[in-house]
Amino acid sequence: MLSDLFRELYLWASTIITSRAFSAKVLSGAVEPDDIPDDGVSVLLPLIDLPNHRPMAKVEWRAGDEDIGLLVLEDVAPGEEISNNYGPRNNEQCECSAYIVWNLDWD
């Protein structure tokens, strides 16, 4: 019974990292260049990961001394969803995040 709980927790944590983690490069404005981990290291940014993916969404991530933010570089009408662009993803990668983008140009 306990092993089932640990398995479920492991799967949850693995899914969180797979679907929500950012490259450590997102910290480039807030951390000294020598302190940024290698490309293989991911970071979790709670609440920053909330916007859904939209291919070709025009956004830019900015990191300051005390904050990290998402700058939207396109007009957004009142009531319209703000989206993030996680970059080229195929549907297999999207399935881990509970979203699938149909008719991907790069899939």
Side-chain angles (χ1 to χ4, degrees), residues 1 6-7 9 31 33 43 47-48 50 58 66 90 102:
M1 184 74 164
F6 287 128
R7 182 177 188 282
L9 289 173
V31 178
V43 295
L47 301 179
I48 296 289
L50 288 178
K58 295 177 183 162
E66 297 180 5
N90 60 36
W102 303 106

Side-chain angles (χ1 to χ4, degrees), residues 1-35:
M1 184 74 164
L2 194 53
S3 65
D4 289 340
L5 174 62
F6 287 128
R7 182 177 188 282
E8 290 299 317
L9 289 173
Y10 170 80
L11 292 173
W12 173 82
S14 178
T15 302
I16 291 296
I17 292 293
T18 303
S19 67
R20 297 289 181 195
F22 292 86
S23 163
K25 290 180 181 178
V26 75
L27 302 174
S28 64
V31 178
E32 293 296 324
D34 292 340
D35 293 335

Side-chain angles (χ1 to χ4, degrees), residues 9-104:
L9 289 173
Y10 170 80
L11 292 173
W12 173 82
S14 178
T15 302
I16 291 296
I17 292 293
T18 303
S19 67
R20 297 289 181 195
F22 292 86
S23 163
K25 290 180 181 178
V26 75
L27 302 174
S28 64
V31 178
E32 293 296 324
D34 292 340
D35 293 335
I36 295 177
D38 296 331
D39 284 339
V41 175
S42 298
V43 295
L44 292 176
L45 302 170
L47 301 179
I48 296 289
D49 64 358
L50 288 178
N52 288 318
H53 172 68
R54 181 172 52 86
M56 311 311 270
K58 295 177 183 162
V59 298
E60 184 177 300
W61 288 95
R62 293 200 177 164
D65 291 339
E66 297 180 5
D67 58 5
I68 296 174
L70 175 70
L71 179 64
V72 178
L73 302 171
E74 58 191 3
D75 292 335
V76 179
E80 186 178 352
E81 179 179 9
I82 293 174
S83 300
N84 190 5
N85 184 347
Y86 298 123
R89 302 242 181 220
N90 60 36
N91 276 332
E92 185 175 287
Q93 292 168 308
C94 294
E95 286 173 6
C96 292
S97 305
Y99 63 82
I100 296 176
V101 181
W102 303 106
N103 300 320
L104 291 174

